[in-house]
Amino acid sequence: MREPTFLVLTALTDGPKHGYGIIRDVAELSDGRVKLLPGTLYAALDRLVAQGLVEHVRDDVIDGRMRRYYSLTGNGLRVLQAETARLRQLAGAAEARLRALKPRLT
Amino acid sequence: MREPTFLVLTALTDGPKHGYGIIRDVAELSDGRVKLLPGTLYAALDRLVAQGLVEHVRDDVIDGRMRRYYSLTGNGLRVLQAETARLRQLAGAAEARLRALKPRLT
DNA sequence: CAACATATATTGCCGATCAATCTATCCGCA
DNA sequence: TGCGGATAGATTGATCGGCAATATATGTTG
């Protein structure tokens, strides 16, 4: 799973959000590094819904603007936990190698 | 940067390796999760060389089999460190969200 | 009234990976 | 002796996900 998709799932852990809300939350979660583009977000949401990791819960109209809300499914949460563990393992393996390298420079 | 490419760079931190050696090391680094396919590896190596993150250091012939060695460049090391920090941040952000979620279940 | 933020949506392109296949050598086992 | 498996490198075509660009529409701010 790629970074934008991972961040979409992460953004949905603390409750349902609509598209633009996800864009804002993802920017915050990534310290401003990842600014989701509409093409990326909506394609990712469609894909995640098709995979059963996210579901479309309701539509609201706030001040004349449409808001389409999405929520993480139980399976989506499990997949996110597995992906997080994968990232942790990956970062850990690289850090171990880098730590083993640096002491040689002293 | 994607996972296979990241693992190729990580595999090269402890010294030059040839293609098949990288494949073995990446499998080990990822606890058997990532089995690099030839198409992925050689495309990644060509790309990394073109980007100056990896260099082709020498060719050996061992027992009649060709071995093409690649090494991490100084810039490659810096990029790997930055990518590792990114992964760490990403995993950390997701873990914080998941930790905030779980206590609600108690 | 212009610019900007909010909000969703579509289209075409491209980069990276995957799947499959190929060639070739060496080693162990039956 | 021959067969499979491990070693070693390479190519091709397909697919998937993200990016760039653009479009529509409303609300807010200067």
mmCIF file of all heavy atoms in Angstrom, chain C residues 7-19:
data_model
loop_
_atom_site.group_PDB
_atom_site.id
_atom_site.type_symbol
_atom_site.label_atom_id
_atom_site.label_comp_id
_atom_site.label_asym_id
_atom_site.label_seq_id
_atom_site.Cartn_x
_atom_site.Cartn_y
_atom_site.Cartn_z
ATOM 1 P P DA C 7 -15.722 21.963 3.640
ATOM 2 O OP1 DA C 7 -17.058 22.011 4.275
ATOM 3 O OP2 DA C 7 -14.562 21.487 4.430
ATOM 4 O "O5'" DA C 7 -15.792 21.111 2.290
ATOM 5 C "C5'" DA C 7 -17.026 20.987 1.587
ATOM 6 C "C4'" DA C 7 -16.846 20.410 0.214
ATOM 7 O "O4'" DA C 7 -16.181 21.337 -0.672
ATOM 8 C "C3'" DA C 7 -16.019 19.136 0.025
ATOM 9 O "O3'" DA C 7 -16.880 18.009 0.204
ATOM 10 C "C2'" DA C 7 -15.521 19.250 -1.415
ATOM 11 C "C1'" DA C 7 -15.995 20.616 -1.873
ATOM 12 N N9 DA C 7 -15.029 21.301 -2.736
ATOM 13 C C8 DA C 7 -13.763 21.731 -2.408
ATOM 14 N N7 DA C 7 -13.121 22.283 -3.402
ATOM 15 C C5 DA C 7 -14.006 22.200 -4.471
ATOM 16 C C6 DA C 7 -13.921 22.601 -5.822
ATOM 17 N N6 DA C 7 -12.850 23.173 -6.355
ATOM 18 N N1 DA C 7 -15.002 22.369 -6.627
ATOM 19 C C2 DA C 7 -16.069 21.781 -6.097
ATOM 20 N N3 DA C 7 -16.281 21.370 -4.836
ATOM 21 C C4 DA C 7 -15.197 21.603 -4.069
ATOM 22 P P DT C 8 -16.328 16.520 -0.056
ATOM 23 O OP1 DT C 8 -17.233 15.627 0.703
ATOM 24 O OP2 DT C 8 -14.878 16.465 0.171
ATOM 25 O "O5'" DT C 8 -16.613 16.318 -1.609
ATOM 26 C "C5'" DT C 8 -17.938 16.502 -2.103
ATOM 27 C "C4'" DT C 8 -17.949 16.424 -3.606
ATOM 28 O "O4'" DT C 8 -17.109 17.474 -4.149
ATOM 29 C "C3'" DT C 8 -17.411 15.114 -4.186
ATOM 30 O "O3'" DT C 8 -18.419 14.469 -4.932
ATOM 31 C "C2'" DT C 8 -16.219 15.544 -5.052
ATOM 32 C "C1'" DT C 8 -16.513 17.001 -5.334
ATOM 33 N N1 DT C 8 -15.288 17.802 -5.620
ATOM 34 C C2 DT C 8 -15.144 18.391 -6.857
ATOM 35 O O2 DT C 8 -15.998 18.315 -7.731
ATOM 36 N N3 DT C 8 -13.970 19.093 -7.042
ATOM 37 C C4 DT C 8 -12.955 19.246 -6.133
ATOM 38 O O4 DT C 8 -11.948 19.889 -6.415
ATOM 39 C C5 DT C 8 -13.162 18.599 -4.852
ATOM 40 C C7 DT C 8 -12.113 18.709 -3.785
ATOM 41 C C6 DT C 8 -14.307 17.918 -4.656
ATOM 42 P P DA C 9 -18.159 13.028 -5.572
ATOM 43 O OP1 DA C 9 -19.489 12.403 -5.776
ATOM 44 O OP2 DA C 9 -17.135 12.329 -4.776
ATOM 45 O "O5'" DA C 9 -17.544 13.392 -6.997
ATOM 46 C "C5'" DA C 9 -18.302 14.126 -7.955
ATOM 47 C "C4'" DA C 9 -17.471 14.299 -9.210
ATOM 48 O "O4'" DA C 9 -16.440 15.296 -8.974
ATOM 49 C "C3'" DA C 9 -16.723 13.040 -9.648
ATOM 50 O "O3'" DA C 9 -17.343 12.510 -10.814
ATOM 51 C "C2'" DA C 9 -15.298 13.492 -9.912
ATOM 52 C "C1'" DA C 9 -15.386 15.006 -9.867
ATOM 53 N N9 DA C 9 -14.157 15.618 -9.352
ATOM 54 C C8 DA C 9 -13.649 15.549 -8.086
ATOM 55 N N7 DA C 9 -12.527 16.198 -7.921
ATOM 56 C C5 DA C 9 -12.261 16.736 -9.168
ATOM 57 C C6 DA C 9 -11.219 17.542 -9.666
ATOM 58 N N6 DA C 9 -10.201 17.952 -8.928
ATOM 59 N N1 DA C 9 -11.276 17.901 -10.976
ATOM 60 C C2 DA C 9 -12.302 17.486 -11.723
ATOM 61 N N3 DA C 9 -13.351 16.725 -11.364
ATOM 62 C C4 DA C 9 -13.267 16.391 -10.061
ATOM 63 P P DT C 10 -16.729 11.182 -11.510
ATOM 64 O OP1 DT C 10 -17.874 10.420 -12.034
ATOM 65 O OP2 DT C 10 -15.765 10.537 -10.587
ATOM 66 O "O5'" DT C 10 -15.888 11.756 -12.751
ATOM 67 C "C5'" DT C 10 -16.314 12.923 -13.437
ATOM 68 C "C4'" DT C 10 -15.330 13.263 -14.539
ATOM 69 O "O4'" DT C 10 -14.266 14.089 -13.981
ATOM 70 C "C3'" DT C 10 -14.651 12.050 -15.173
ATOM 71 O "O3'" DT C 10 -14.650 12.193 -16.591
ATOM 72 C "C2'" DT C 10 -13.238 12.071 -14.615
ATOM 73 C "C1'" DT C 10 -13.005 13.557 -14.342
ATOM 74 N N1 DT C 10 -12.073 13.809 -13.218
ATOM 75 C C2 DT C 10 -11.032 14.689 -13.409
ATOM 76 O O2 DT C 10 -10.833 15.274 -14.458
ATOM 77 N N3 DT C 10 -10.228 14.875 -12.318
ATOM 78 C C4 DT C 10 -10.343 14.282 -11.079
ATOM 79 O O4 DT C 10 -9.555 14.537 -10.179
ATOM 80 C C5 DT C 10 -11.451 13.352 -10.941
ATOM 81 C C7 DT C 10 -11.682 12.640 -9.644
ATOM 82 C C6 DT C 10 -12.255 13.172 -12.008
ATOM 83 P P DT C 11 -14.268 10.915 -17.493
ATOM 84 O OP1 DT C 11 -15.387 10.677 -18.421
ATOM 85 O OP2 DT C 11 -13.789 9.825 -16.608
ATOM 86 O "O5'" DT C 11 -12.999 11.398 -18.334
ATOM 87 C "C5'" DT C 11 -12.795 12.769 -18.660
ATOM 88 C "C4'" DT C 11 -11.315 13.009 -18.920
ATOM 89 O "O4'" DT C 11 -10.687 13.364 -17.667
ATOM 90 C "C3'" DT C 11 -10.574 11.785 -19.449
ATOM 91 O "O3'" DT C 11 -10.179 11.994 -20.806
ATOM 92 C "C2'" DT C 11 -9.357 11.624 -18.532
ATOM 93 C "C1'" DT C 11 -9.364 12.864 -17.671
ATOM 94 N N1 DT C 11 -9.000 12.608 -16.252
ATOM 95 C C2 DT C 11 -7.966 13.325 -15.680
ATOM 96 O O2 DT C 11 -7.321 14.157 -16.306
ATOM 97 N N3 DT C 11 -7.713 13.037 -14.362
ATOM 98 C C4 DT C 11 -8.373 12.120 -13.570
ATOM 99 O O4 DT C 11 -8.051 11.970 -12.405
ATOM 100 C C5 DT C 11 -9.433 11.400 -14.222
ATOM 101 C C7 DT C 11 -10.199 10.388 -13.451
ATOM 102 C C6 DT C 11 -9.696 11.667 -15.520
ATOM 103 P P DG C 12 -9.369 10.819 -21.602
ATOM 104 O OP1 DG C 12 -9.702 11.007 -23.027
ATOM 105 O OP2 DG C 12 -9.621 9.522 -20.932
ATOM 106 O "O5'" DG C 12 -7.828 11.177 -21.396
ATOM 107 C "C5'" DG C 12 -7.367 12.524 -21.540
ATOM 108 C "C4'" DG C 12 -5.886 12.583 -21.202
ATOM 109 O "O4'" DG C 12 -5.723 12.554 -19.764
ATOM 110 C "C3'" DG C 12 -5.075 11.418 -21.765
ATOM 111 O "O3'" DG C 12 -3.832 11.906 -22.261
ATOM 112 C "C2'" DG C 12 -4.898 10.498 -20.563
ATOM 113 C "C1'" DG C 12 -4.856 11.493 -19.403
ATOM 114 N N9 DG C 12 -5.313 10.958 -18.117
ATOM 115 C C8 DG C 12 -6.379 10.128 -17.889
ATOM 116 N N7 DG C 12 -6.551 9.826 -16.626
ATOM 117 C C5 DG C 12 -5.516 10.498 -15.977
ATOM 118 C C6 DG C 12 -5.175 10.559 -14.602
ATOM 119 O O6 DG C 12 -5.729 10.006 -13.651
ATOM 120 N N1 DG C 12 -4.058 11.358 -14.385
ATOM 121 C C2 DG C 12 -3.367 12.012 -15.363
ATOM 122 N N2 DG C 12 -2.318 12.732 -14.969
ATOM 123 N N3 DG C 12 -3.671 11.980 -16.656
ATOM 124 C C4 DG C 12 -4.756 11.199 -16.886
ATOM 125 P P DC C 13 -2.769 10.913 -22.916
ATOM 126 O OP1 DC C 13 -2.288 11.563 -24.144
ATOM 127 O OP2 DC C 13 -3.319 9.541 -22.953
ATOM 128 O "O5'" DC C 13 -1.570 10.939 -21.862
ATOM 129 C "C5'" DC C 13 -1.149 12.188 -21.305
ATOM 130 C "C4'" DC C 13 -0.207 11.943 -20.145
ATOM 131 O "O4'" DC C 13 -0.962 11.469 -19.008
ATOM 132 C "C3'" DC C 13 0.872 10.895 -20.429
ATOM 133 O "O3'" DC C 13 2.139 11.499 -20.190
ATOM 134 C "C2'" DC C 13 0.556 9.750 -19.465
ATOM 135 C "C1'" DC C 13 -0.247 10.432 -18.371
ATOM 136 N N1 DC C 13 -1.238 9.588 -17.656
ATOM 137 C C2 DC C 13 -1.163 9.456 -16.249
ATOM 138 O O2 DC C 13 -0.269 10.039 -15.646
ATOM 139 N N3 DC C 13 -2.083 8.694 -15.606
ATOM 140 C C4 DC C 13 -3.039 8.082 -16.299
ATOM 141 N N4 DC C 13 -3.939 7.347 -15.618
ATOM 142 C C5 DC C 13 -3.140 8.189 -17.722
ATOM 143 C C6 DC C 13 -2.225 8.942 -18.357
ATOM 144 P P DC C 14 3.495 10.762 -20.663
ATOM 145 O OP1 DC C 14 4.349 11.789 -21.284
ATOM 146 O OP2 DC C 14 3.140 9.516 -21.390
ATOM 147 O "O5'" DC C 14 4.147 10.337 -19.282
ATOM 148 C "C5'" DC C 14 3.901 11.110 -18.101
ATOM 149 C "C4'" DC C 14 4.360 10.314 -16.888
ATOM 150 O "O4'" DC C 14 3.250 9.553 -16.354
ATOM 151 C "C3'" DC C 14 5.455 9.306 -17.203
ATOM 152 O "O3'" DC C 14 6.404 9.389 -16.155
ATOM 153 C "C2'" DC C 14 4.717 7.971 -17.218
ATOM 154 C "C1'" DC C 14 3.636 8.207 -16.176
ATOM 155 N N1 DC C 14 2.404 7.378 -16.297
ATOM 156 C C2 DC C 14 1.788 6.906 -15.122
ATOM 157 O O2 DC C 14 2.280 7.191 -14.027
ATOM 158 N N3 DC C 14 0.670 6.155 -15.230
ATOM 159 C C4 DC C 14 0.165 5.871 -16.439
ATOM 160 N N4 DC C 14 -0.942 5.132 -16.489
ATOM 161 C C5 DC C 14 0.779 6.343 -17.643
ATOM 162 C C6 DC C 14 1.893 7.083 -17.527
ATOM 163 P P DG C 15 7.912 8.899 -16.355
ATOM 164 O OP1 DG C 15 8.703 10.100 -16.651
ATOM 165 O OP2 DG C 15 7.943 7.731 -17.270
ATOM 166 O "O5'" DG C 15 8.282 8.405 -14.887
ATOM 167 C "C5'" DG C 15 7.617 8.969 -13.757
ATOM 168 C "C4'" DG C 15 7.445 7.921 -12.685
ATOM 169 O "O4'" DG C 15 6.252 7.131 -12.935
ATOM 170 C "C3'" DG C 15 8.601 6.939 -12.585
ATOM 171 O "O3'" DG C 15 8.893 6.760 -11.211
ATOM 172 C "C2'" DG C 15 8.068 5.663 -13.236
ATOM 173 C "C1'" DG C 15 6.572 5.753 -12.968
ATOM 174 N N9 DG C 15 5.705 5.157 -13.984
ATOM 175 C C8 DG C 15 5.834 5.249 -15.346
ATOM 176 N N7 DG C 15 4.881 4.640 -15.999
ATOM 177 C C5 DG C 15 4.072 4.114 -15.000
ATOM 178 C C6 DG C 15 2.876 3.352 -15.091
ATOM 179 O O6 DG C 15 2.281 2.974 -16.101
ATOM 180 N N1 DG C 15 2.374 3.021 -13.835
ATOM 181 C C2 DG C 15 2.956 3.381 -12.648
ATOM 182 N N2 DG C 15 2.331 2.972 -11.534
ATOM 183 N N3 DG C 15 4.061 4.099 -12.548
ATOM 184 C C4 DG C 15 4.570 4.427 -13.758
ATOM 185 P P DA C 16 10.219 5.960 -10.797
ATOM 186 O OP1 DA C 16 10.831 6.698 -9.675
ATOM 187 O OP2 DA C 16 10.999 5.644 -12.002
ATOM 188 O "O5'" DA C 16 9.601 4.607 -10.226
ATOM 189 C "C5'" DA C 16 8.641 4.684 -9.173
ATOM 190 C "C4'" DA C 16 8.065 3.315 -8.904
ATOM 191 O "O4'" DA C 16 7.155 2.957 -9.958
ATOM 192 C "C3'" DA C 16 9.094 2.193 -8.816
ATOM 193 O "O3'" DA C 16 8.880 1.490 -7.600
ATOM 194 C "C2'" DA C 16 8.837 1.337 -10.052
ATOM 195 C "C1'" DA C 16 7.369 1.623 -10.346
ATOM 196 N N9 DA C 16 6.990 1.522 -11.763
ATOM 197 C C8 DA C 16 7.694 1.975 -12.840
ATOM 198 N N7 DA C 16 7.099 1.764 -13.993
ATOM 199 C C5 DA C 16 5.914 1.126 -13.638
ATOM 200 C C6 DA C 16 4.837 0.645 -14.402
ATOM 201 N N6 DA C 16 4.783 0.724 -15.733
ATOM 202 N N1 DA C 16 3.812 0.058 -13.741
ATOM 203 C C2 DA C 16 3.864 -0.025 -12.405
ATOM 204 N N3 DA C 16 4.831 0.396 -11.584
ATOM 205 C C4 DA C 16 5.829 0.972 -12.272
ATOM 206 P P DT C 17 9.808 0.257 -7.129
ATOM 207 O OP1 DT C 17 10.023 0.407 -5.675
ATOM 208 O OP2 DT C 17 10.950 0.143 -8.073
ATOM 209 O "O5'" DT C 17 8.830 -0.983 -7.357
ATOM 210 C "C5'" DT C 17 7.498 -0.924 -6.834
ATOM 211 C "C4'" DT C 17 6.623 -1.962 -7.502
ATOM 212 O "O4'" DT C 17 6.462 -1.655 -8.906
ATOM 213 C "C3'" DT C 17 7.167 -3.402 -7.453
ATOM 214 O "O3'" DT C 17 6.313 -4.169 -6.618
ATOM 215 C "C2'" DT C 17 7.181 -3.852 -8.918
ATOM 216 C "C1'" DT C 17 6.228 -2.858 -9.588
ATOM 217 N N1 DT C 17 6.491 -2.639 -11.034
ATOM 218 C C2 DT C 17 5.529 -2.969 -11.967
ATOM 219 O O2 DT C 17 4.458 -3.467 -11.659
ATOM 220 N N3 DT C 17 5.869 -2.720 -13.276
ATOM 221 C C4 DT C 17 7.050 -2.166 -13.741
ATOM 222 O O4 DT C 17 7.239 -1.984 -14.943
ATOM 223 C C5 DT C 17 8.025 -1.832 -12.724
ATOM 224 C C7 DT C 17 9.344 -1.242 -13.106
ATOM 225 C C6 DT C 17 7.695 -2.084 -11.441
ATOM 226 P P DC C 18 6.566 -5.746 -6.396
ATOM 227 O OP1 DC C 18 5.933 -6.116 -5.116
ATOM 228 O OP2 DC C 18 8.002 -6.013 -6.641
ATOM 229 O "O5'" DC C 18 5.740 -6.431 -7.585
ATOM 230 C "C5'" DC C 18 4.376 -6.066 -7.797
ATOM 231 C "C4'" DC C 18 3.797 -6.902 -8.926
ATOM 232 O "O4'" DC C 18 4.247 -6.379 -10.203
ATOM 233 C "C3'" DC C 18 4.201 -8.375 -8.898
ATOM 234 O "O3'" DC C 18 3.036 -9.158 -9.120
ATOM 235 C "C2'" DC C 18 5.214 -8.503 -10.041
ATOM 236 C "C1'" DC C 18 4.729 -7.439 -11.009
ATOM 237 N N1 DC C 18 5.760 -6.850 -11.918
ATOM 238 C C2 DC C 18 5.481 -6.747 -13.287
ATOM 239 O O2 DC C 18 4.409 -7.164 -13.714
ATOM 240 N N3 DC C 18 6.410 -6.192 -14.107
ATOM 241 C C4 DC C 18 7.562 -5.742 -13.612
ATOM 242 N N4 DC C 18 8.432 -5.190 -14.457
ATOM 243 C C5 DC C 18 7.862 -5.832 -12.211
ATOM 244 C C6 DC C 18 6.942 -6.398 -11.402
ATOM 245 P P DA C 19 3.056 -10.754 -8.870
ATOM 246 O OP1 DA C 19 1.819 -11.083 -8.131
ATOM 247 O OP2 DA C 19 4.369 -11.149 -8.334
ATOM 248 O "O5'" DA C 19 2.926 -11.361 -10.336
ATOM 249 C "C5'" DA C 19 2.148 -10.698 -11.325
ATOM 250 C "C4'" DA C 19 2.342 -11.392 -12.668
ATOM 251 O "O4'" DA C 19 3.328 -10.666 -13.439
ATOM 252 C "C3'" DA C 19 2.836 -12.840 -12.574
ATOM 253 O "O3'" DA C 19 2.076 -13.633 -13.486
ATOM 254 C "C2'" DA C 19 4.316 -12.741 -12.942
ATOM 255 C "C1'" DA C 19 4.332 -11.556 -13.898
ATOM 256 N N9 DA C 19 5.586 -10.800 -13.920
ATOM 257 C C8 DA C 19 6.388 -10.494 -12.845
ATOM 258 N N7 DA C 19 7.448 -9.786 -13.167
ATOM 259 C C5 DA C 19 7.341 -9.612 -14.535
ATOM 260 C C6 DA C 19 8.143 -8.958 -15.486
ATOM 261 N N6 DA C 19 9.273 -8.315 -15.179
ATOM 262 N N1 DA C 19 7.747 -8.986 -16.779
ATOM 263 C C2 DA C 19 6.619 -9.622 -17.089
ATOM 264 N N3 DA C 19 5.771 -10.277 -16.291
ATOM 265 C C4 DA C 19 6.196 -10.234 -15.011
#
